[in-house]
Amino acid sequence: MEKFIIKGGKPLHGEVVISGAKNAAVAVVAATILSDQPCVLENVPEIRDINACVKILYEMGASIKIIDKNTIRIDTRGITDPVVPYELARACRGSSYFLGTLLGRFHKADVPMPGGCDLGDRPIDQHLKAFNILGATHTIDGGVVSLRADSLVGSQIYFDIVTVGGTINAMFAAVKADGLTVIENAAKEPQIVDLANFLNSMGADIMGAGTDVIKIRGVKYLKGVTYGIIPDPIEAGTYMVAAAATKGDVVIKGVIPKHLESITDKLRKAGATVEEFDEAIHVKAEGRLMKTSFKTMPHPGFPTDMQPQFSTMLSTADGVSVVTDSIFDNRFRYVNELRRFGAEVTVEGTTAVIQGVDELKGATVKATDLRAGAALVIAGLMANGTTVVEDIYHIERGYENIDDKLRALGADIERVNYYDKSRMAV
Ligand code: EPU
């Protein structure tokens, strides 16, 4: 197993280039199943979650060519059996997208319930509702979701809650259905717009992505294209926060500043200086940051995927910050680990109260999920002394070369192998 050893207390300085967006890439990779020709995907981040999705395609019979580290050619015409292998589906949350894409192409799908970050209960009732409305039936047996449809017919889908995955799966099932589908109360996250752009470039007819009403007129054929994934707003936000948290001065390059507005706004409220350029953001902070309260919301609100990192930054801010995150049940699990650094945080239900302390002290901690892991790395960069972050495989699910990128910004971070006795069979 691998861990990070961080000698903290050094401000980050310099430039960092952001990789392709994990949550857009998982959807776009799965979407290649709907294409009638090979596709070349560019700016694909080299991270575990994407590797897991590409492996699912390969195991199902797709032909995959890695053109370079971030460019993949995918030809899914060889897939004949719409069944996702169990152990691969468990490896990533994005595997739920194979429900929509396989249903859209084969009118049939057998997909084990998805894995991914343990953020508490992650139901797919809204996904199933959308599939049912479009004409599919579903059964769940032994943890495997099976969908069957004689035909898929466009219809009106109203989501009871705003769901990113549900919206994407409804788009997949509708894109080759007969007639018009209208998705209401749709999610508006950047990855939904990116996916719609990808599908439209192949010949789909999707309008309104990025608003809460998406209209999709089914088409019969989708051609192969070359498509570049958008930059990752959460990776960008993580470096923005790391820069401010270490009182650093960092230019974050290759980003879409519009996607980062809620983070920019809160960073400015906390006292950081944030300058926006066409494709870059400059974050600088001096002196102690100020308490800042916020609540996570679906896009364009403050993203739940940035809550652990931002809350960690606030652990040394002046005053008491109140943070509410009710999107998932388990998004405050990292707080126990954060307390090891000397942070004073109490959690009551979906709200954390953070009493800023003067400084964090290095600690040995375990990443409990992807964003929690990123937050603990930030805590290590802020802390005086040495921090050890274990279970970094969680972090590698979503951050490309995080240690190299941080080292280039002046961080003292080292990746080492270790032997974890607690995981060995006796
Ligand atoms: N929900 C339901 N029923 C459903 C679907 C969702 O009740 O059928 C609930 C969820 O339990 C949650 C809320 O709706 O309370 C929102 O969930 P959503 O479906 O929007 O989340 P998701 O599609 O499972 C994606 C990202 C997450 C990100 C959320 C929210 C991917 C692969 N994952 O998850 O990303 O936190 O949207 O923005 O796109 C991460 O990158 O670290 C991550 C967890």
Side-chain angles (χ1 to χ4, degrees):
M1 304 199 50
E2 289 186 316
K3 62 185 175 184
F4 286 142
I5 298 182
I6 303 167
K7 296 201 177 92
K10 288 179 159 193
L12 297 183
H13 279 282
E15 293 180 356
V16 60
V17 179
I18 295 308
S19 301
K22 167 181 90 86
N23 289 343
V26 286
V28 167
V29 165
T32 59
I33 287 183
L34 291 161
S35 177
D36 294 286
Q37 289 180 328
C39 289
V40 175
L41 304 182
E42 298 171 336
N43 204 29
V44 181
E46 197 189 26
I47 51 175
R48 277 175 187 262
D49 267 20
I50 298 302
N51 294 345
C53 287
V54 171
K55 200 158 176 210
I56 289 174
L57 290 176
Y58 177 76
E59 292 292 330
M60 285 196 295
S63 120
I64 308 288
K65 185 170 176 204
I66 308 293
I67 296 173
D68 65 41
K69 185 168 89 61
N70 301 112
T71 310
I72 313 179
R73 182 182 185 277
I74 302 176
D75 181 352
T76 62
R77 288 175 295 184
I79 298 178
T80 50
D81 194 16
V83 178
V84 172
Y86 176 82
E87 62 292 351
L88 295 179
R90 300 295 302 165
C92 82
R93 174 73 189 170
S95 57
S96 67
Y97 293 153
F98 292 101
L99 283 168
T101 52
L102 291 172
L103 180 68
R105 171 160 155 194
F106 295 97
H107 293 182
K108 183 179 168 191
D110 292 311
V111 181
M113 293 290 275
C117 274
D118 179 9
L119 305 174
D121 196 19
R122 295 183 76 173
I124 58 163
D125 57 297
Q126 297 298 306
H127 304 226
L128 297 176
K129 171 179 164 172
F131 298 143
N132 294 158
I133 289 173
L134 296 176
T137 57
H138 76 268
T139 53
I140 303 179
D141 192 9
V144 176
V145 183
S146 297
L147 302 172
R148 300 288 182 268
D150 292 332
S151 61
L152 294 169
V153 181
S155 190
Q156 186 179 17
I157 300 165
Y158 182 86
F159 282 119
D160 303 328
I161 40 141
V162 178
T163 156
V164 173
T167 302
I168 288 177
N169 255 335
M171 290 165 72
F172 286 148
V175 78
K176 284 185 158 179
D178 296 329
L180 179 70
T181 296
V182 180
I183 305 172
E184 295 193 65
N185 200 22
K188 296 181 276 204
E189 269 65 6
Q191 63 262 41
I192 306 236
V193 179
D194 202 33
L195 175 65
N197 287 342
F198 174 58
L199 292 168
N200 281 342
S201 70
M202 294 198 286
D205 183 355
I206 304 174
M207 279 176 57
T211 76
D212 55 9
V213 181
I214 301 176
K215 292 186 180 165
I216 304 171
R217 196 168 287 285
V219 295
K220 290 279 168 262
Y221 185 85
L222 293 178
K223 67 175 194 281
V225 290
T226 295
Y227 188 81
I229 309 284
I230 53 164
D232 195 319
I234 306 301
E235 188 199 15
T238 301
Y239 285 100
M240 289 167 74
V241 167
T246 58
K247 307 194 187 350
D249 184 344
V250 176
V251 178
I252 295 120
K253 297 176 94 169
V255 299
I256 300 173
K258 177 99 190 127
H259 291 167
L260 302 168
E261 276 174 347
S262 62
I263 303 163
T264 297
D265 177 62
K266 288 287 174 254
L267 274 175
R268 286 182 176 146
K269 288 215 163 72
T273 305
V274 186
E275 273 181 288
E276 294 175 336
F277 300 95
D278 284 351
E279 292 182 2
I281 291 237
H282 179 195
V283 179
K284 194 173 161 184
E286 284 162 335
R288 195 169 183 189
L289 293 173
M290 291 175 285
K291 65 177 181 175
T292 309
S293 294
F294 66 95
K295 188 173 187 307
T296 63
M297 301 285 280
H299 191 80
F302 191 94
T304 174
D305 292 346
M306 279 303 301
Q307 179 273 113
Q309 304 90 311
F310 209 94
S311 301
T312 296
M313 180 193 82
L314 293 172
S315 67
T316 58
D318 190 10
V320 178
S321 306
V322 179
V323 175
T324 303
D325 190 347
S326 48
I327 304 226
F328 293 111
D329 301 338
N330 262 353
R331 266 261 142 109
F332 286 115
R333 275 213 304 173
Y334 67 96
V335 164
N336 281 336
E337 301 298 294
L338 191 57
R339 288 198 193 106
R340 295 178 196 271
F341 292 89
E344 288 183 16
V345 188
T346 52
V347 179
E348 192 76 47
T350 56
T351 298
V353 177
I354 307 164
Q355 168 71 63
V357 294
D358 289 342
E359 61 163 20
L360 298 184
K361 295 195 181 71
T364 295
V365 290
K366 266 190 201 307
T368 50
D369 65 65
L370 167 59
R371 307 304 171 188
L376 296 174
V377 168
I378 291 175
L381 297 170
M382 293 164 69
N384 289 319
T386 301
T387 288
V388 178
V389 182
E390 295 179 347
D391 289 358
I392 61 170
Y393 60 89
H394 286 294
I395 302 172
E396 288 167 344
R397 286 193 34 229
Y399 291 89
E400 186 173 52
N401 299 334
I402 188 170
D403 47 333
D404 291 341
K405 289 187 182 186
L406 286 172
R407 249 190 316 276
L409 292 173
D412 187 339
I413 177 168
E414 194 190 350
R415 174 190 293 260
V416 293
N417 277 307
Y418 72 107
Y419 170 80
D420 184 348
K421 273 197 215 146
S422 67
R423 286 171 188 271
M424 298 297 149
V426 282

